[in-house]
Amino acid sequence: MRESVAIDEAAVAKWICDFLAERNSALGPSPSDPDLFASGTVDSLGIVALITGLEARFDMRFSDSAFQDPRFSTIAGVAAIVCEARQRSLG
C-alpha cells in the first residue's frame, strides 16, 4: 500500500546530491549546479542509475515528458519533477 507522505523539493535535492556524491565523491554536486550533463556530473549511465534510484526511493515514475522538461538538467529541477510526479501518483 502506497504511503501518502508528502515530500519536499529540498529533501529530494539532498537525496540526489548524496546519491551522486556516493558514485563520484570528487564531483561534490550541489543543488545549485547549473547543468548536470554539461558539468559532467552525470553521463548516460549515471542518469539511468539516478532515475532508477529516484523511482525506487520516492515510489514514483517519470513520465516520458519529464525527460523533455528543461528542468530535468538540474538537481533542483529534477527534485521539482519528482515532487510533482509523486503528487500526481497520490491523486
Side-chain angles (χ1 to χ4, degrees):
M1 181 177 203
R2 182 174 284 189
E3 209 175 311
S4 63
V5 174
I7 56 172
D8 66 16
E9 292 177 25
V12 177
K14 181 182 179 333
W15 186 92
I16 294 169
C17 288
D18 292 346
F19 181 91
L20 296 173
E22 284 177 16
R23 278 143 186 78
N24 190 346
S25 59
L27 293 175
S30 74
S32 62
D33 282 344
D35 188 304
L36 292 168
F37 304 102
S39 68
T41 302
V42 295
D43 59 14
S44 58
L45 294 177
I47 197 64
V48 171
L50 178 61
I51 289 166
T52 303
L54 286 165
E55 289 182 339
R57 170 62 180 92
F58 295 104
D59 193 24
M60 48 73 65
R61 297 290 172 256
F62 285 97
S63 66
D64 290 341
S65 63
F67 303 120
Q68 302 302 318
D69 190 318
R71 300 175 299 166
F72 195 75
S73 65
T74 67
I75 291 173
V78 172
I81 292 167
V82 167
C83 288
E84 291 165 8
R86 171 98 171 142
Q87 190 62 31
R88 275 193 306 276
S89 72
L90 294 174

